[in-house]
Structure formats: C-alpha cells, structure tokens
C-alpha cells in the first residue's frame, strides 16, 4: 500500500510556471513507477507524464512535451512535475499515481493502482 499526497497547485497566468509535488508514504517508494494525470472540466482523465522507478526513463503526452518535466527523488519519496509555459488549456485537476506493474513509464491509467486526491491548476489568459 502507498498513500499519495499532491501539492503545489494554484492559479497562474498564461506563460507562468508551477511545480507540483507528490509525496508517497507506505511501501518503499523506489518500487513504484509514477505518473501524473489530469482531468479538465467536462473531459476525461488524460495522461500527462510518467517516470520509471529509478528515474532513468520518462514519457510525456504530446500536448505538454517540451513544457513539462517529470522527476523524482527517491530519498524524499517524492515525484515532481515542473510545468513551464502554462496555457489556459492546462487548467485541470492534476493527480499523481503509482504502479507496481512493471518498471515502465506507462501512459495507461488502468496500470496505476494508487492515486492521490488531486491538486487544482488554473491558468488564466
């Protein structure tokens, strides 16, 4: 079991930056591959980024590639999502998720068995 708590959301103007954090507690953090997903109002949840257990590999959605960076610090049991050049369409609730189903930076939400409660990101134009 692992518990995930996100933080770092807020309101910014277009072009601004935010860094989301997700702290894990419970089972050894380094045994989980981690992902970030988001759900915008009226839309389905979508993949944002994922990272393998050691942080050696990552994967990004095309819509945020080049603007967002996922990273992790296993010593701090934390995964981060650095978001730069934010756009109004990035507005959503952002969730971190953990999976033990292999060491893959998978974009498939069904692979993730543990989810945080989400943190709101609002971007104004």
């Amino acid at each position: 079991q692992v518990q995930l708590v996100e933080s770092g959301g807020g309101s910014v103007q277009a072009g601004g930056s935010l860094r989301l954090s997700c702290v894990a507690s419970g089972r050894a953090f380094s045994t989980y591959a981690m992902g970030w997903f988001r759900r915008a109002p009226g839309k389905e949840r979508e993949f944002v980024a994922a990272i393998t257990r050691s942080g050696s590999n990552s994967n990004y959605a095309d819509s945020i590639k080049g603007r967002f960076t996922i990273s992790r610090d296993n010593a701090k049991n934390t995964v981060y999502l650095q978001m730069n050049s934010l756009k109004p369409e990035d507005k959503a609730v952002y969730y971190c998720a953990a999976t033990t189903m292999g060491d893959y930076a998978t974009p498939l939400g069904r692979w993730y068995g543990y989810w945080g409660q989400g943190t709101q990101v609002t971007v104004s134009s």
Side-chain angles (χ1 to χ4, degrees), residues 14-63:
S17 298
L18 285 172
R19 188 176 80 157
L20 306 184
S21 299
C22 173
V23 178
S25 60
R27 179 176 164 177
F29 181 65
S30 61
T31 65
Y32 293 93
M34 300 295 296
W36 285 97
F37 292 78
R38 68 186 181 186
R39 188 189 299 272
K43 295 187 177 181
E44 294 187 353
R45 183 184 66 197
E46 66 173 350
F47 168 73
V48 176
I51 192 166
T52 52
R53 294 169 182 169
S54 68
S56 59
N57 288 297
S58 57
N59 188 16
Y60 296 93
D62 288 342
S63 61

Side-chain angles (χ1 to χ4, degrees), residues 11-17 85-88 122-125:
S11 296
V12 296
Q13 290 191 327
S17 298
S85 302
L86 282 160
K87 303 176 180 181
T122 301
V123 185
S124 58
S125 57

Side-chain angles (χ1 to χ4, degrees), residues 47-119:
F47 168 73
V48 176
I51 192 166
T52 52
R53 294 169 182 169
S54 68
S56 59
N57 288 297
S58 57
N59 188 16
Y60 296 93
D62 288 342
S63 61
I64 58 86
K65 200 171 292 184
R67 300 188 296 122
F68 292 10
T69 303
I70 189 171
S71 62
R72 66 189 295 163
D73 185 337
N74 286 348
K76 295 183 177 179
N77 290 355
T78 303
V79 62
Y80 304 97
L81 186 67
Q82 177 67 44
M83 305 186 296
N84 298 327
S85 302
L86 282 160
K87 303 176 180 181
E89 53 263 43
D90 295 319
K91 174 183 177 179
V93 177
Y94 284 71
Y95 301 89
C96 73
T99 178
T100 57
M101 293 182 65
D103 192 18
Y104 307 107
T106 179
L108 301 176
R110 62 179 181 270
W111 278 46
Y112 293 85
Y114 305 96
W115 295 82
Q117 82 290 348
T119 186

